[in-house]
Amino acid sequence: MNWYPWLNQPYRQIIARHQEGAAHHALLLQAAEGMGDDALVWGVSRWLMCQRREGAKSCGTCHGCELMQAHTHPDWYRLEAEKGKASLGVDAVRDVTEKLYHFAQQGGAKVVWLPDAAQLTEAAANALLKTLEEPPANCWFFLSVRESSRLLATLRSRCLSWPLIPPEESQSLAWLGREVTQPEAALRAALRLSGGAPAAALALLQPARWQTRQALCDTLIAVLNDDILQLLPALNSDDVADRLSWLISLLVDAMKMQQGAAAWLSNGDRPDVVTALARRLNSSALNSSAQQWLACREQLLHVTSLNRELILTDRLLAWSRLLAPPVISP
């Protein structure tokens, strides 16, 4: 698992709390995709399971470390939805929490990690809540979440929130520049499109992925004054949420350009597309467009059994009415 330099400080802070006997039994890690919360949890877990710790480091050679490195430690539990399912049910939670009240098989700590706590059903969240209210001794919970508002308020209240803040943009750009060869404008665009999360930006900059985003930009500028329905193939894909995010960011950038804030564009590498949108739509139409595409994205993300192509087609037809030039009466 990759380790990232921006994780050093939160790692040291969390370990220091354990060393001082002041660690909270449940950490709620709030992190954007690509911030490395999985690596942070893994690093802290290895330290907790180590039998011969060396300050803030795990020794790497004891039996506990060997089991962790082999991903076979019997006291380390990962709770997530089964492959192909969107939710984590109550039975899986009860199965793990029941084991927590037994003596640790290695005689040390027990760790439970939920990579996406938003997957918890209400029943599963309530079952976990009971354990968090009266946790077993030497048992530590790590919950990762992208949007904490999707968790039950009672569950959030039993955890210590720990946001992973993106590094300064200059630091992230320097790191990206060492990882991939791209113009600085592309590095900055990928970083801003990824919410400042460097690892997510690096994933976006991979050739096939970056070309997908560039193709969307090229298609948009080509059809903006033509038949907007030609944009459908560029949007209709399994990663539709990402593609709609790119489209929304272009609309927001067009509003920034109209307000004289071009220095803060997310898509600074594609001023041609941003300028075309800023000239084609006024500020009100841009705002309406962004809001409507955002609602479409949320619908496709969170409402099951929808016909994606039909939803996108309907939205493009509605958008074409905003893009249509005004009819001037004689």
Side-chain angles (χ1 to χ4, degrees), residues 113-166:
W113 180 41
L114 284 80
D116 184 2
Q119 291 180 338
L120 289 164
T121 63
E122 185 174 352
N126 284 323
L128 180 62
L129 178 62
K130 294 178 181 178
T131 305
L132 294 182
E133 289 174 337
E134 298 181 13
N138 203 16
C139 184
W140 311 98
F141 295 84
F142 297 95
L143 292 77
S144 288
V145 69
R146 304 297 175 228
E147 300 175 41
S148 60
S149 61
R150 296 193 182 278
L151 297 185
L152 290 178
T154 48
L155 188 60
R156 295 199 306 269
S157 69
R158 297 299 186 273
C159 302
L160 174 65
S161 292
W162 196 287
L164 289 185
I165 307 298

Side-chain angles (χ1 to χ4, degrees), residues 148-206:
S148 60
S149 61
R150 296 193 182 278
L151 297 185
L152 290 178
T154 48
L155 188 60
R156 295 199 306 269
S157 69
R158 297 299 186 273
C159 302
L160 174 65
S161 292
W162 196 287
L164 289 185
I165 307 298
E168 292 289 335
E169 187 172 79
S170 58
Q171 296 174 346
S172 298
L173 288 173
W175 180 81
L176 280 172
R178 293 190 294 269
E179 298 292 323
V180 66
T181 302
Q182 282 277 14
E184 185 172 324
L187 299 181
R188 181 175 285 105
L191 189 62
R192 292 181 177 180
L193 288 170
S194 303
L202 180 60
L204 176 56
L205 285 164
Q206 296 310 300

